[in-house]
Amino acid sequence: MEEETLSLIFKGCKLARDLESNLPYLSNQPKFLSNSCDEIIRAFKMAVDRINTHNASSYDPHMAFGESRESQTSEIAVGVHEWLTSSFTQAMGLLQAQTLAERNPYDVQLLPKRKMGITESPESGAIVIESGATYRDYVNVEGSKRLRSSGGEFQAMDEPDSGRSSGSQRSRKRKDSVEKQTVMVPALRIGNTEIPHNDDFTWRKYGQKDILGSKFPRCTHKNFYGCEAKKQVQRLEDDPNTLEVNYYGKHSCHMSSMAPCVTVPVAPRAPLPSASIPMSRWLSMEFEPSISREDANTRMQMYNEFGCISGAAGPSNVRDRKEVEYPVVNLADAMFNSGSSSNSLDAIFPSMKDKWEPGDKSRDN
DNA sequence: ATGATTTGACCGAC
DNA sequence: GTCGGTCAAATCAT
């Protein structure tokens, strides 16, 4: 690749990094933020233009899809812009969360590492996910909820896995009885990679259905752990570059009323951050000075199709645990570094698994 | 081993 | 009876 193009990309990265590290101090400077974002977008856009100019003859999947390079370029700009604004929103959320934590440090406490897993509060019925809880724990809790819940969405069943057998009685709410919100979002892409629709929640896809009369299937997603919210994503038939996203139900996975909707990616067996970590360090590279290129790349892979942590990361948006991570740091770090590794999580969060003690039942499942 | 996604089947709503 | 939402086993990815 041409050196000038690389320096443009580098410039964009640097600008983004500068903006990132100053985010906490810029919350009341919308004009400056806007200008900074524009400058970053300009740098990336110029780089993309140069790349496209130099590779005009090569195959481009977007062209096969009937799109112009111009629209692709603007998509990239929109994608970068969306990432920046999303990161900013999350950073501000974290700022609020930390303010809250400083006010009441007991809100952000770590659970003893031997007590990991998922439990359900006998009083409130709220599900408590502890650091280190596994996917199996989630499945088990979901199953037991079905067993015990006799009203609402689920009905009692004799056996947790009797779903399809004779005793199964799934009751469903009428569609029009559930609050629905529809938004249209662009199906963003960079190159041939789909940029997921990121709405600051972590979703789990649980169904895909071919819809009669529609070329594209409808995907259904649920929020994690007892949150009632659902969303359906479907590509518009007359405009494949637009996704129709329908939201049903209300989120119950906000961290608190004071810290609204911070997407809270949770890394496996990751130590939760201490409330004493200064915000400026959360948002800067300084927080994890030893992270290698390889680490960053793997963490990029952890971001799932909805822009939130996935893969080994497990569930997030845990309402009652105030589990927080560093989306800005991680995503930016992942963006600004490259490489590959198969074992990077251990490098990022070293020795947690070594600290498990034998016979820990919450881990054996 | 663990967790996410896919996919065929079930079953309620219409 | 049809459609589509949901479940859960199977499969895939890490």
Side-chain angles (χ1 to χ4, degrees):
Chain A
M1 196 184 297
E2 197 190 351
E3 199 171 321
E4 203 168 329
T5 309
L6 286 173
S7 75
L8 276 170
I9 296 171
F10 184 77
K11 182 189 170 191
C13 292
K14 187 177 182 309
L15 287 169
R17 243 185 307 221
D18 290 345
L19 176 62
E20 181 195 25
S21 55
N22 289 315
L23 270 180
Y25 316 109
L26 299 173
S27 57
N28 54 353
Q29 310 269 354
K31 180 113 182 155
F32 182 87
L33 284 170
S34 172
N35 288 341
S36 299
C37 292
D38 284 342
E39 207 173 333
I40 294 163
I41 290 165
R42 247 198 318 274
F44 283 126
K45 188 176 183 306
M46 283 167 69
V48 170
D49 285 344
R50 294 189 77 89
I51 293 167
N52 287 339
T53 308
H54 283 79
N55 298 293
S57 56
S58 63
Y59 172 74
D60 181 347
H62 277 80
M63 301 303 278
F65 216 39
E67 286 177 56
S68 68
R69 290 186 185 280
E70 228 166 89
S71 72
Q72 184 188 348
T73 305
S74 70
E75 274 184 14
I76 291 167
V78 171
V80 171
H81 197 279
E82 203 170 73
W83 167 68
L84 286 166
T85 50
S86 152
S87 294
F88 175 70
T89 306
Q90 294 183 348
M92 290 304 112
L94 283 172
L95 193 56
Q96 292 179 46
Q98 198 200 7
T99 307
L100 185 69
E102 281 167 354
R103 209 174 303 152
N104 183 7
Y106 297 104
D107 272 351
V108 191
Q109 55 183 311
L110 301 180
L111 289 174
K113 62 172 176 280
R114 282 180 62 91
K115 277 191 69 182
M116 292 178 176
I118 299 177
T119 57
E120 193 168 358
S121 162
E123 300 89 32
S124 63
I127 294 177
V128 178
I129 296 93
E130 297 163 3
S131 172
T134 64
Y135 176 67
R136 302 282 175 223
D137 294 329
Y138 161 65
V139 172
N140 289 341
V141 169
E142 287 285 298
S144 61
K145 262 190 84 176
R146 258 200 301 283
L147 267 176
R148 272 175 280 151
S149 172
S150 56
E153 196 171 353
F154 298 109
Q155 291 189 345
M157 290 192 229
D158 292 329
E159 293 172 25
D161 60 348
S162 63
R164 246 179 263 188
S165 59
S166 55
S168 170
Q169 288 198 4
R170 268 177 262 168
S171 77
R172 272 173 221 153
K173 291 174 184 169
R174 281 179 173 271
K175 230 181 160 184
D176 53 10
S177 73
V178 183
E179 203 173 307
K180 177 187 170 184
Q181 195 185 349
T182 304
V183 296
M184 300 295 184
V185 298
L188 300 169
R189 264 174 303 185
I190 291 181
N192 57 359
T193 306
E194 287 278 347
I195 302 297
H197 167 235
N198 180 3
D199 54 13
D200 290 350
F201 286 96
T202 300
W203 300 94
R204 176 184 169 77
K205 182 176 177 179
Y206 70 92
Q208 178 171 317
K209 193 83 184 169
D210 286 326
I211 302 302
L212 208 75
S214 177
K215 264 194 291 188
F216 305 105
R218 176 180 299 161
C219 300
T220 317
H221 304 77
K222 250 186 192 171
N223 225 261
F224 277 110
Y225 298 117
C227 178
E228 284 182 15
K230 275 184 292 187
K231 83 169 177 183
Q232 290 177 331
V233 182
Q234 187 166 19
R235 205 175 277 275
L236 293 182
E237 195 159 356
D238 51 354
D239 182 8
N241 299 315
T242 302
L243 301 175
E244 180 182 322
V245 184
N246 289 310
Y247 294 92
Y248 298 95
K250 285 181 177 161
H251 282 285
S252 57
C253 51
H254 293 246
M255 287 176 69
S256 78
S257 56
M258 300 267 308
C261 188
V262 181
T263 302
V264 199
V266 177
R269 304 182 206 109
L272 299 177
S274 154
S276 63
I277 297 167
M279 190 58 196
S280 57
R281 295 191 65 204
W282 281 27
L283 293 170
S284 73
M285 299 302 191
E286 188 190 348
F287 187 73
E288 297 171 305
S290 63
I291 287 180
S292 65
R293 296 166 144 243
E294 289 79 7
D295 302 334
N297 183 62
T298 303
R299 277 187 291 162
M300 188 62 170
Q301 292 169 10
M302 287 163 63
Y303 282 83
N304 68 10
E305 66 169 310
F306 292 95
C308 301
I309 286 264
S310 73
S316 68
N317 290 331
V318 182
R319 185 186 186 179
D320 294 322
R321 282 296 329 286
K322 314 285 191 293
E323 297 194 10
V324 290
E325 230 217 15
Y326 331 107
V328 179
V329 174
N330 286 351
L331 185 52
D333 200 17
M335 279 187 76
F336 302 142
N337 293 281
S338 61
S340 64
S341 166
S342 59
N343 203 21
S344 56
L345 283 171
D346 287 344
I348 303 168
F349 310 111
S351 73
M352 273 303 278
K353 65 179 170 193
D354 300 334
K355 290 181 184 170
W356 289 94
E357 295 178 31
D360 187 347
K361 286 210 168 108
S362 65
R363 220 188 152 200
D364 309 332
N365 49 28

